[in-house]
Amino acid sequence: ADRHSSSADAIRAVRRVRRRELSRVGIADVLGRLDITEVGEALTDISTATLAGALKASTAAVEADRGPMPTRMAIILMGRLGGGEAGYGSDADVMFVHDPIEGADETEAASAAMAVAQGLRKMLAAPGDDPALEVDAELRPEGKNGPLVRSFASYRAYYEKWSAVWEAQALLRASATIGDADLSARFTALIDPLRWPDGGATAAEVREIRRIKARVDSERLPRGANAKTHLKLGRGGLADVEWTVQLLQMQHAHEVPAMRTTRTLEALHAAVEAELVSSDDAETLEAAWRLVSRIRNAVVLMRGK
């Protein structure tokens, strides 16, 4: 992206390299050269680099129109992307955060940050010879009803007063790795007490997580889908494994540092070491996670998407 003076040329280069890397990983996967965890890490690296390049291109476009940016920006990876477990068909789940530079007008800073985020999403979703990358920001505070971009101060105020247990659970996979390094570090420090709460999740929070999981099971399963065979939401599917591990993290990560990770299997292995889960149960959960992840990726590859 830095090699091009035109933001349009920069994003074309970024998307072209992404297509090449997706092909390279897909070929290695089909030939059995990569384990499913290595595939997830590789696809995560590709999406991370793509988002970083797009952030540069979109920022350059906004600065060409408005002048120097009055704010710093960072992109927080969420979901399977934040967990280093992206699949071939994964969207890029993210949150956008900005922090006005000293002396900058806050309204202008917010407007510039919004323009960068909107430009980035448009650049990556535009039709073309190279595959699009959908950028999904629905895991942000208040979901679709909340602003696409928030200031660091706004995130802090929101989490201090309004944060719900489902948001703390979503933050288990939050990874601040793109954009301003200092802002990313401060955001990580802000959310750590929420996802690894002192004393662990309360009994009421555990009940709420289980209630939400039951609602997900009943409402999000597509109409007509078989709960026994749906790869993500069916019994024994990805959601069951991930929610089991995430609940363990919220209960015990405050006292087991190795569980403070965005990676599902790393957290599961740490739970075994801490004797929170039996090795037999962990092997069953890991086998299910690996098998379902492999099948989901294979389906996408066979469809050619």
Side-chain angles (χ1 to χ4, degrees), residues 8-19:
D9 290 340
I11 198 62
R12 276 194 293 268
V14 167
R15 291 183 58 168
R16 185 167 58 248
V17 172
R18 175 172 178 263
R19 177 179 62 176

Side-chain angles (χ1 to χ4, degrees), residues 70 100-101 103-110:
I101 63 176
D105 181 85
E106 292 189 3
T107 300
E108 291 181 4

Side-chain angles (χ1 to χ4, degrees), residues 245-300:
V245 174
Q246 289 164 11
L247 181 55
L248 285 169
Q249 287 180 283
M250 295 185 74
Q251 291 175 305
H252 301 287
H254 69 286
E255 58 187 357
V256 183
M259 294 184 70
R260 299 172 199 168
T261 173
T262 62
R263 270 61 171 167
T264 300
L265 296 187
E266 285 185 12
L268 180 60
H269 295 162
V272 173
E273 290 293 322
E275 299 183 347
L276 300 171
V277 179
S278 72
S279 57
D280 287 344
D281 286 343
E283 286 178 8
T284 300
L285 289 169
E286 180 170 349
W289 185 92
R290 287 178 177 275
L291 177 61
V292 174
S293 297
R294 174 70 67 183
I295 294 173
R296 293 184 80 204
N297 276 349
V299 168
V300 176

Side-chain angles (χ1 to χ4, degrees), residues 111-123:
S111 176
M114 179 68 75
V116 169
Q118 291 175 331
L120 178 149
R121 297 179 80 187
K122 184 177 180 181
M123 287 176 171

Side-chain angles (χ1 to χ4, degrees), residues 154-226:
S154 176
Y155 273 105
R156 181 173 56 201
Y158 178 87
Y159 286 139
E160 287 176 352
K161 189 173 183 180
W162 302 109
S163 181
V165 66
W166 73 264
E167 291 174 311
Q169 183 180 359
L171 290 172
L172 289 171
R173 289 180 157 190
S175 178
T177 58
I178 300 172
D180 186 85
D182 178 68
L183 178 56
S184 296
R186 287 190 290 129
F187 189 89
T188 300
L190 172 67
I191 64 174
D192 277 351
L194 296 173
R195 52 184 177 178
W196 328 123
D198 286 341
T202 65
E205 289 170 336
V206 172
R207 287 195 298 271
E208 176 65 5
I209 291 170
R210 288 176 172 156
R211 185 194 68 81
I212 295 172
K213 180 62 168 67
R215 182 177 176 182
V216 168
D217 289 344
S218 64
E219 295 182 5
R220 290 188 58 193
L221 194 69
R223 181 174 297 179
N226 188 339

Side-chain angles (χ1 to χ4, degrees), residues 114-151:
M114 179 68 75
V116 169
Q118 291 175 331
L120 178 149
R121 297 179 80 187
K122 184 177 180 181
M123 287 176 171
L124 293 178
D129 295 332
D130 303 306
L133 177 62
E134 295 294 330
V135 178
D136 187 340
E138 291 188 12
L139 290 176
R140 66 188 185 269
E142 301 177 278
K144 291 181 179 179
N145 296 322
L148 176 62
V149 186
R150 282 181 181 266
S151 68

